[in-house]
Amino acid sequence: MEGSGSREPVLDAKSELIDFQWKLGMAVSSDSCRSLKYPYVTVMLKVADHSGQVKNISFEMTVPQFQ
Amino acid sequence: MAGELEGSKCLSGLLSGLAQDAFHGHPGITEELLRSQLYPEVSPEEFRPFLAKMKGILKSIASADMDFNQLEAFLTAQTKKQGGITSDQAAVISKFWKSHKTKIRESLVNQSRWENELRGLSWRVDGRSQSRHSAQIQTPVAIIELEFGKHGQESEFLCLEFDEVKVNQILKKLSEVEENINTLMQPV
């Protein structure tokens, strides 16, 4: 993945991870490509920022990205 | 004029231009640009249906993500059709797909990703010293910064702190995901 370990994390506003959920899906078809056939991983993080506010952040990765 | 179109010399360039426009989102590749650069001797009226035909063929191949057997069968059928393509043209299209298939597929996959995607992950381990009493304890803490964003939009950043226990919990979850991926990817 681009940028892995190549820069130091910015220190301000660290959040706490409360929960980590994952989902494995398979994209079958779309309007731009009838034969997609790629698996992907969706991750949902529940984080609390320094003020205690909780929010959900989700993002997708293809299998090579995940690995 | 028709002879110009039947020739296969410029077809490779045309397919590249079409791919840049249709799949890789390169702006400014107009019909007129392609005609004037690659087929200047051909009139716009003649060029238009030819371009449409090639575009249709390329889109069909990409949409079905054809393997090489399917490609050969498809192109052979196109050469036999009324108003289809020549076998020289079929050879150029075949060669083009074989060398550009992976990149085109990657672009098509990206076109259908509308959620946030993980763009980067940076990490650092700090050793926190605790000295409530005289003994100094080094507690390692992992600081992880995630970079994510939606296709074509600017990145957002999230900075998280984990102790060793949490890191192990996350690693365990990641192994579960990996196990499931391996099961899913098993040939049926």
Side-chain angles (χ1 to χ4, degrees), chain B residues 102-162:
Chain B
T102 309
K103 201 157 171 269
I104 288 176
R105 182 161 163 73
E106 201 183 303
S107 285
L108 282 174
V109 162
N110 284 335
Q111 275 180 19
S112 61
R113 294 176 70 182
W114 307 308
E115 307 303 324
N116 278 323
E117 48 168 334
L118 187 66
R119 288 180 177 161
L121 190 153
S122 309
W123 59 268
R124 193 180 77 213
V125 174
D126 282 359
R128 295 257 166 88
S129 330
Q130 297 171 0
S131 59
R132 188 192 290 274
H133 308 293
S134 51
Q136 294 226 334
I137 309 158
Q138 287 279 336
T139 314
V141 165
I143 300 172
I144 293 178
E145 185 186 67
L146 300 170
E147 181 185 356
F148 56 90
K150 297 194 178 169
H151 191 56
Q153 289 181 11
E154 268 186 35
S155 290
E156 276 185 66
F157 292 87
L158 177 67
C159 195
L160 299 166
E161 200 176 280
F162 302 119

Side-chain angles (χ1 to χ4, degrees), chain B residues 4-23:
Chain B
E4 287 281 338
L5 288 177
E6 277 179 16
S8 47
K9 232 174 30 168
C10 301
L11 182 55
S12 195
L14 185 75
L15 293 170
S16 280
L18 283 171
Q20 285 294 334
D21 174 50
F23 308 123

Side-chain angles (χ1 to χ4, degrees), chain A residues 1-27 30-39 41 45 47 55 57-63 65-67, chain B residues 23 62-65 105 108-124 126 128 143-148 156-162 166 170 173-178 180-182 184-185:
Chain A
M1 195 184 304
E2 279 176 33
S4 276
S6 63
R7 61 169 236 179
E8 294 267 312
V10 174
L11 260 190
D12 52 295
K14 275 181 279 191
S15 300
E16 191 197 335
L17 182 68
I18 300 171
D19 194 23
F20 174 125
Q21 291 182 26
W22 59 268
K23 180 173 80 184
L24 179 61
M26 174 76 91
S30 78
D31 65 322
S32 52
C33 185
R34 297 276 180 260
S35 177
L36 276 176
K37 289 182 305 192
Y38 72 86
V41 179
L45 303 178
V47 297
K55 59 179 183 177
I57 294 173
S58 70
F59 48 82
E60 252 180 45
M61 289 171 270
T62 60
V63 168
Q65 280 177 331
F66 171 77
Q67 286 166 343
Chain B
F23 308 123
S63 186
D65 191 31
R105 182 161 163 73
L108 282 174
V109 162
N110 284 335
Q111 275 180 19
S112 61
R113 294 176 70 182
W114 307 308
E115 307 303 324
N116 278 323
E117 48 168 334
L118 187 66
R119 288 180 177 161
L121 190 153
S122 309
W123 59 268
R124 193 180 77 213
D126 282 359
R128 295 257 166 88
I143 300 172
I144 293 178
E145 185 186 67
L146 300 170
E147 181 185 356
F148 56 90
E156 276 185 66
F157 292 87
L158 177 67
C159 195
L160 299 166
E161 200 176 280
F162 302 119
K166 257 210 168 120
I170 302 231
K173 289 229 173 184
L174 293 177
S175 307
E176 284 169 20
V177 185
E178 191 164 23
N180 274 271
I181 289 175
N182 291 335
L184 181 69
M185 307 280 264

Side-chain angles (χ1 to χ4, degrees), chain B residues 25-141:
Chain B
H26 201 286
I29 299 183
T30 60
E31 179 186 309
E32 182 49 31
L33 179 75
L34 292 171
R35 189 196 67 81
S36 60
Q37 294 284 310
L38 298 165
Y39 297 89
E41 304 296 312
V42 176
S43 72
E45 293 71 35
E46 258 202 280
F47 184 70
R48 190 162 302 133
F50 171 72
L51 183 67
K53 180 166 67 182
M54 290 305 161
K55 194 172 187 179
I57 287 173
L58 187 59
K59 279 196 154 180
S60 294
I61 296 170
S63 186
D65 191 31
M66 287 188 192
D67 63 30
F68 302 139
N69 289 330
Q70 290 168 320
L71 181 69
E72 291 310 311
F74 176 73
L75 290 174
T76 304
Q78 294 296 313
T79 59
K80 296 193 155 73
K81 260 170 64 163
Q82 179 81 303
I85 59 178
T86 66
S87 43
D88 279 349
Q89 288 170 338
V92 172
I93 295 169
S94 178
K95 189 164 172 225
F96 180 82
W97 179 243
K98 283 171 184 170
S99 45
H100 289 85
K101 180 180 161 75
T102 309
K103 201 157 171 269
I104 288 176
R105 182 161 163 73
E106 201 183 303
S107 285
L108 282 174
V109 162
N110 284 335
Q111 275 180 19
S112 61
R113 294 176 70 182
W114 307 308
E115 307 303 324
N116 278 323
E117 48 168 334
L118 187 66
R119 288 180 177 161
L121 190 153
S122 309
W123 59 268
R124 193 180 77 213
V125 174
D126 282 359
R128 295 257 166 88
S129 330
Q130 297 171 0
S131 59
R132 188 192 290 274
H133 308 293
S134 51
Q136 294 226 334
I137 309 158
Q138 287 279 336
T139 314
V141 165

